[in-house]
Amino acid sequence: MKKSLFFIAILFSIIATAQYEIVYNLEKGKSYPQNQVVTSEQQQVINGMPQEITTIITTETDYLVTDVKDGIYYIDIIIKKMSNETKTPMGTETITSDGPESNAMNTIFKNMIKEPIKITMNKHGEILSFDNSAQLEGLTNGVEMPQMQLLQVEAALKKEMSAEKQTANYQQLSAILPKEKVAVGDSWFQSITVNSIAAFEATSNFELESVNDNSYIISSTAIVKSPDNASTNLNGMKANYSLSGPSSGTYTIDKETGWITSASIRQELDGDIVIEKSDMMPQEMKMTMKTQTTTVIE
C-alpha cells in the first residue's frame, strides 16, 4: 500500500512539473481562422458635458500559410469581412464591407479587404515583416465624396493603417507564446504596444494556467500607463494626455498548432486629455475619459 501511494505521489510530481514547448506548428497550404469582436465603451466628459460612445468592430479573417522556410512562416492575412458599428446619443452608424455602396465608407471598407496583408512570422509569433501596401492601394476607388474630404479620409486611414501600427496590433495576439519550455504555473513577460488614443508601451505578464488533452490555457495581466508629459495630434491639434489602466486576458491555445482557438481580453483606460488652444481651438478643452475595451476571439 505504501509503495502504491509513493508511486502515485511520484506520478503527480512528474505531471505537476511537466515542461511544455508552446510554439506555432503551422502547415503550408492550410488556412487558420481568427474571428474577432472588439467592443469599446467610452465615457467622456467634455467641458462638463457627459457623452457615451460605444464602438463594435467585427472582423472575419483567415491566415493562409503560403510557405514555410527555415522555421519562418509566410502568411497571407485575408480579411473576409469587416464592420464598424458606432453608437452615440445622436444614433447608430454602421459601416460594413458587404453593405450597400450608397454609403461611401462601405465602399472604402470593401476596398480595404480586396488584397491580403503579407507577413512573415517565426514559431514564437514574432512578426518579422509586414506588407500591407496592396491593402492601401485604391482605398478610395469608386467612392463618391467631395475631393477635399476624400483626401482627408484617405490620409487619416493610411495613418491609422501604417505598417508600424498594424504590426503592433497583430503582434499583441501572435507573440504571446513563451520563448522557453514552461510548466503549469510558470510565467514569462512580453513587451506590448497598445494603440488607443496614442501608442502605450507596457510589459505583459503571461502564465500557463492549465493544460488539457487538446489545449494550453494561458492568462495575462498588464498595467498600461502613458509616459509623463505625453502628447499626440488629434485632427491637427496638440493634445496632452494622462491615461492608465489594467489589462487582463485568457487564451486557449491548440496544442497541435499553437493557434489561438478562443480568447477574451479586457483593457481599461482612465484619465484626462487636454487639447491646447490654437487657431482651430480658441479655448483649451479638457476631456475626462474612461474606456473599457473587450476583445473576443472565436
Side-chain angles (χ1 to χ4, degrees), residues 48-65:
M49 298 293 291
Q51 184 179 23
E52 294 186 1
I53 301 172
T54 299
T55 304
I56 303 171
I57 301 171
T58 304
T59 53
E60 297 178 12
T61 307
D62 283 342
Y63 289 66
L64 174 63
V65 181

Side-chain angles (χ1 to χ4, degrees), residues 46-243:
I46 304 173
N47 290 340
M49 298 293 291
Q51 184 179 23
E52 294 186 1
I53 301 172
T54 299
T55 304
I56 303 171
I57 301 171
T58 304
T59 53
E60 297 178 12
T61 307
D62 283 342
Y63 289 66
L64 174 63
V65 181
T66 60
D67 206 353
V68 183
K69 293 180 181 177
D70 300 322
I72 303 300
Y73 297 106
Y74 292 73
I75 296 173
D76 280 2
I77 301 176
I78 302 167
I79 303 172
K80 299 185 295 183
K81 180 181 177 181
M82 63 186 296
S83 66
N84 185 321
E85 182 179 339
T86 304
K87 301 176 182 179
T88 71
M90 303 296 291
T92 300
E93 180 183 16
T94 301
I95 305 168
T96 177
S97 58
D98 61 357
E101 294 185 3
S102 54
N103 183 328
M105 291 305 299
N106 287 349
T107 302
I108 289 175
F109 269 32
K110 190 175 296 183
N111 291 338
M112 285 170 59
I113 67 172
K114 283 182 177 178
E115 299 293 338
I117 299 167
K118 294 183 177 293
I119 68 169
T120 56
M121 182 183 80
N122 66 19
K123 66 178 183 179
H124 299 295
E126 296 169 324
I127 295 177
L128 308 177
S129 66
F130 188 99
D131 181 7
N132 66 333
S133 56
Q135 186 192 41
L136 297 179
E137 287 294 324
L139 273 179
T140 56
N141 286 350
V143 177
E144 294 185 8
M145 191 182 289
Q147 184 66 17
M148 184 61 70
Q149 186 182 358
L150 199 62
L151 291 173
Q152 290 174 341
V153 168
E154 187 173 25
L157 284 171
K158 286 185 175 180
K159 181 180 177 182
E160 289 304 311
M161 295 167 62
S162 69
E164 182 180 9
K165 279 191 175 184
Q166 292 268 61
T167 299
N169 290 341
Y170 279 97
Q171 197 159 255
Q172 269 194 70
L173 294 175
S174 66
I176 66 171
L177 307 183
K179 300 290 189 356
E180 308 292 339
K181 290 184 177 182
V182 291
V184 172
D186 283 351
S187 296
W188 62 97
F189 300 90
Q190 302 280 20
S191 295
I192 61 172
T193 300
V194 178
N195 286 308
S196 181
I197 300 300
F200 296 79
E201 300 293 334
T203 299
S204 190
N205 176 68
F206 293 90
E207 179 182 334
L208 179 59
E209 281 201 349
S210 62
V211 179
N212 58 41
D213 290 344
N214 301 311
S215 306
Y216 301 108
I217 310 300
I218 293 173
S219 64
S220 70
T221 56
I223 297 294
V224 177
K225 186 178 184 299
S226 60
D228 294 338
N229 303 315
S231 65
T232 189
N233 186 298
L234 288 179
N235 299 322
M237 298 173 290
K238 183 180 179 182
N240 303 309
Y241 62 94
S242 177
L243 297 164

Side-chain angles (χ1 to χ4, degrees), residues 39-46 49-55 87 196-197 200 224 241-246 266-274 286-294:
T39 304
S40 179
E41 297 176 321
Q42 190 176 111
Q43 296 174 329
Q44 300 176 348
V45 179
I46 304 173
M49 298 293 291
Q51 184 179 23
E52 294 186 1
I53 301 172
T54 299
T55 304
K87 301 176 182 179
S196 181
I197 300 300
F200 296 79
V224 177
Y241 62 94
S242 177
L243 297 164
S244 63
R266 181 184 176 90
Q267 170 70 61
E268 297 179 22
L269 282 175
D270 194 356
D272 300 323
I273 299 175
V274 178
K286 183 176 181 179
M287 179 192 309
T288 300
M289 189 176 73
K290 185 174 184 178
T291 65
Q292 294 181 354
T293 302
T294 303

